[in-house]
Amino acid sequence: MFYILVVGFVAFISSSGASDLQTYFNLIDQNHDGKVFSDELFVFFNTFYEEKPDQGTLSLLKAKQIENHIVKKFNQNSTRNYLTLFDLERRFVDLYALQNQFPTFLFNGYEPEQVHLSYTHNIFNEMYVSFVTREHPSSNLRPIVQYCEKNCLAIGETTTYNVDNWHYWIHHIYIKDLEPGMKYNYKLGFIEPDNVTIRHLYSSEHWTFQTSSSLEKQSTEIVYIYGDMGTIMPLGFEVTKSIIEDFNKKKNERANYVVHVGDIAYAGTGGEMEVQTIWDLFMNQIAPIASQIPYMTATGNHEKYYNYTSYKTRFFMPSKTNPTALEKDGNFYFTLETNLVQWIFLSTEHDYTPGSLQRTFLDNFLEEFQQKWQGKQRPWLIIVGHRPMYSSDQATDSGRLQEQIESVLIQNRVDLAVWGHMHCYERTTPVEYNRFTDKEHFSADGKLYQHNATETSPIHLTIGTAGAWINEKWIPKPEWSQTRYQRYGFGKLFLYNRTHLEFHSVSIDKTSSDEDDSFMIIRQF
């Protein structure tokens, strides 16, 4: 029955039109004949992305292979060597069908779209939800979320911004007084100024969220982690699809939340412009997963346009929803404490030198962290940011990150540092100041790091493989580079308890000779 509905839905949107997809398609369709060939994709990547296909013979061959793969992947009719708008529409329908949903944004109007969740500083009793509508029902109506049948309502606010003539509406709602470890089904809508009369209420039986359980009741904490995704082209859409499939199929290994380490939608043109349609497509692309589990983000260089206006307005991180005294800069840097992890989200795009607001935040928070956990079995300390501190990618451009921040990581015994920016996968050994350290506690195959928690060296992980153009060149492999490769995919972090952490990379479309990376850290207190 659901298949029949999907087929009918595809027919409907094909006749009614899909403006965001049409706008995006037109960016690629150079001669506007309604067909996108692989050579048009090449032109698109060269004009739209800052990361451009290299002109060398091997790189051009690799680029051609990727472009042909895209056409074949998106075009289920193998006799056709081009894409049409219908192919993109069908991809969205297929994506949402994984959650038994329809992409209602293709209808336009008042339907909630781009639904996504985020944690506040209170992961047990609070949740933040936001969504977009193409129309504002009226200036008097306020957005609501209904999360149980017994008058469980939270009322939010509505905002918008003026970039690229964008004219949709963002609704955001702070939900408080929830029960720890409770799963909630929720509906979104609008309420009259009397805070009683619900004028509109939209529901999806698959809109759910769950607060975090207390440490005593929680088992493994699981996180999807990656950077540099983007929307449909080249393969951000496919990586998103793989994440949703993983979420649905591996029910015993379902992730609790997402950490996206910067370069989110790739809405910038590589020049001064940012296309808001691409932001809308991306937010709808991740909605099937972001409407189920919190989607936490770090800032990348591709969010820079118009002083980060789109990023700052669309996302609601703890530093924006309920900032601490040190979180003074909106969404750009913040902490997130879960049962098993103390996360620190940094912005590599903003000042982190001594005396800056961000550095003051970092130094003061780490001092408080060390005092709080002195002599105790502390949670894992994980730093995330966009530009990598360590990378053997020839084009790496981390600025003064290593000079200014590495000593802070070492002195505070950071367990893991996760980065993006370079469109590759790379994991280091335990490393300090470009030296492979603590060799006696690092296994010969590089799969296990077993150490005393008070004498640890950080492992750095670069995972900018979530869909943006892969076109990297390596320098000769340094001693500290344990594993590196260039394949599209995402990461999955398993935190079993405060002594055992495991990471798996997950590649899409890997060949029989490809091996994904995995490693474990075991620490003793």
Side-chain angles (χ1 to χ4, degrees):
M1 176 61 71
F2 185 76
Y3 174 78
I4 296 174
L5 291 174
V6 167
V7 172
F9 188 70
V10 171
F12 173 80
I13 62 175
S14 297
S15 62
S16 63
S19 60
D20 284 350
L21 284 170
Q22 183 70 70
T23 301
Y24 184 76
F25 190 85
N26 290 344
L27 288 172
I28 310 171
D29 185 11
Q30 298 292 311
N31 60 3
H32 304 294
D33 64 351
K35 302 175 182 178
V36 166
F37 294 87
S38 60
D39 58 344
E40 290 177 295
L41 288 176
F42 183 82
V43 173
F44 174 70
F45 293 135
N46 266 292
T47 56
F48 200 83
Y49 282 95
E50 292 179 9
E51 297 80 5
K52 304 178 186 300
D54 196 294
Q55 299 301 310
T57 302
L58 290 177
S59 294
L60 288 175
L61 178 61
K62 178 182 175 183
K64 194 69 175 178
Q65 290 173 339
I66 293 175
E67 290 146 9
N68 287 332
H69 173 74
I70 292 169
V71 172
K72 183 177 180 181
K73 188 84 175 179
F74 284 25
N75 174 11
Q76 297 179 6
N77 179 0
S78 60
T79 63
R80 187 156 45 86
N81 64 341
Y82 59 85
L83 298 176
T84 67
L85 177 62
F86 178 78
D87 293 319
L88 303 191
E89 292 170 344
R90 183 178 56 205
R91 299 302 288 177
F92 264 101
V93 172
D94 291 345
L95 183 75
Y96 275 67
L98 294 173
Q99 295 283 50
N100 292 326
Q101 296 179 357
F102 291 139
T104 54
F105 72 94
L106 297 175
F107 286 125
N108 299 331
Y110 304 133
E111 284 278 354
E113 61 175 90
Q114 306 181 37
V115 180
H116 61 285
L117 305 165
S118 58
Y119 278 135
T120 71
H121 280 304
N122 183 340
I123 66 170
F124 306 105
N125 308 109
E126 299 178 353
M127 189 66 70
Y128 218 87
V129 60
S130 59
F131 64 100
V132 168
T133 56
R134 312 235 162 176
E135 304 288 344
H136 196 299
S138 84
S139 59
N140 294 323
L141 296 183
R142 296 176 67 189
I144 59 167
V145 56
Q146 183 186 74
Y147 51 93
C148 77
E149 298 301 327
K150 298 180 180 179
N151 282 333
C152 297
L153 289 180
I155 302 175
E157 302 292 338
T158 295
T159 188
T160 188
Y161 60 90
N162 184 21
V163 168
D164 189 36
N165 198 33
W166 194 72
H167 56 277
Y168 301 156
W169 300 87
I170 298 174
H171 313 282
H172 49 97
I173 309 168
Y174 195 164
I175 313 173
K176 301 180 181 181
D177 301 320
L178 300 169
E179 293 294 325
M182 182 70 70
K183 183 176 181 179
Y184 293 90
N185 298 314
Y186 66 98
K187 303 175 182 179
L188 300 168
F190 297 92
I191 198 167
E192 293 281 3
D194 61 9
N195 291 343
V196 174
T197 308
I198 298 176
R199 182 62 59 193
H200 304 277
L201 193 64
Y202 302 91
S203 67
S204 165
E205 60 185 83
H206 295 278
W207 281 343
T208 64
F209 67 79
Q210 184 167 350
T211 53
S212 182
S213 300
S214 62
L215 182 59
E216 296 76 18
K217 295 182 179 180
Q218 180 178 320
S219 53
T220 304
E221 187 171 318
I222 305 175
V223 188
Y224 290 130
I225 190 163
Y226 51 81
D228 302 77
M229 178 170 271
T231 189
I232 301 170
M233 303 296 178
L235 287 176
F237 199 93
E238 292 303 295
V239 175
T240 303
K241 182 172 180 286
S242 295
I243 291 169
I244 297 170
E245 288 174 337
D246 180 271
F247 185 78
N248 287 333
K249 291 178 181 178
K250 299 183 178 179
K251 294 186 178 181
N252 293 329
E253 296 182 359
R254 279 193 164 179
N256 302 98
Y257 52 102
V258 175
V259 171
H260 190 149
V261 294
D263 279 8
I264 298 172
Y266 283 84
T269 61
E272 297 300 320
M273 300 297 293
E274 185 181 60
V275 180
Q276 297 307 301
T277 290
I278 294 179
W279 267 114
D280 292 323
L281 286 173
F282 177 82
M283 300 304 291
N284 279 311
Q285 171 184 307
I286 64 169
I289 190 73
S291 62
Q292 314 297 310
I293 56 177
Y295 202 96
M296 311 305 293
T297 56
T299 312
N301 56 295
H302 278 274
E303 283 71 72
K304 65 187 177 185
Y305 297 90
Y306 302 101
N307 193 29
Y308 301 88
T309 292
S310 302
Y311 173 74
K312 288 189 295 186
T313 314
R314 289 174 180 268
F315 288 95
F316 299 85
M317 296 298 106
S319 53
K320 183 177 178 181
T321 59
N322 55 342
T324 64
L326 294 171
E327 295 170 341
K328 297 181 180 296
D329 217 353
N331 283 343
F332 295 134
Y333 51 84
F334 58 92
T335 63
L336 176 67
E337 183 177 357
T338 67
N339 280 322
L340 298 175
V341 187
Q342 177 60 70
W343 295 92
I344 302 179
F345 286 70
L346 297 179
S347 172
T348 60
E349 310 310 300
H350 294 78
D351 191 0
Y352 45 73
T353 58
S356 67
L357 289 174
Q358 181 169 207
R359 183 57 175 270
T360 301
F361 149 80
L362 178 62
D363 290 344
N364 281 271
F365 176 78
L366 285 171
E367 182 179 350
E368 293 175 1
F369 177 80
Q370 295 300 346
Q371 291 176 354
K372 177 180 179 181
W373 295 103
Q374 188 172 14
K376 300 177 183 178
Q377 192 180 89
R378 64 175 174 85
W380 297 93
L381 184 55
I382 303 179
I383 294 251
V384 298
H386 184 56
R387 298 174 192 260
M389 187 174 291
Y390 280 89
S391 174
S392 60
D393 190 318
Q394 190 175 43
T396 188
D397 55 346
S398 299
R400 302 175 64 191
L401 191 64
Q402 189 172 6
E403 171 193 340
Q404 293 291 335
I405 300 292
E406 183 171 23
S407 62
V408 178
L409 271 61
I410 294 169
Q411 292 167 11
N412 288 279
R413 305 191 310 278
V414 167
D415 297 292
L416 188 65
V418 186
W419 319 95
H421 192 57
M422 313 317 299
H423 300 171
C424 57
Y425 176 87
E426 186 166 21
R427 173 170 62 91
T428 72
T429 65
V431 61
E432 296 182 11
Y433 307 118
N434 294 302
R435 300 192 314 272
F436 178 179
T437 59
D438 212 9
K439 294 182 181 180
E440 65 273 22
H441 297 129
F442 194 66
S443 64
D445 64 0
K447 299 291 187 182
L448 177 64
Y449 183 30
Q450 189 167 0
H451 60 77
N452 186 318
T454 62
E455 300 175 356
T456 178
S457 296
I459 286 179
H460 292 255
L461 184 64
T462 299
I463 185 162
T465 58
W469 184 264
I470 288 182
N471 183 44
E472 313 304 298
K473 292 182 179 178
W474 302 116
I475 62 172
K477 192 174 185 180
E479 184 187 24
W480 48 256
S481 180
Q482 173 64 37
T483 304
R484 63 183 188 179
Y485 50 76
Q486 298 180 35
R487 294 196 298 273
Y488 290 99
F490 60 95
K492 203 168 181 182
L493 185 64
F494 296 81
L495 301 125
Y496 298 112
N497 47 49
R498 289 186 173 175
T499 59
H500 288 68
L501 171 157
E502 190 170 14
F503 176 86
H504 294 272
S505 69
V506 182
S507 299
I508 65 171
D509 297 332
K510 67 178 181 179
T511 66
S512 57
S513 61
D514 293 331
E515 182 179 353
D516 285 335
D517 186 38
S518 64
F519 67 95
M520 176 173 280
I521 302 176
I522 301 176
R523 59 184 188 176
Q524 299 170 343
F525 288 90

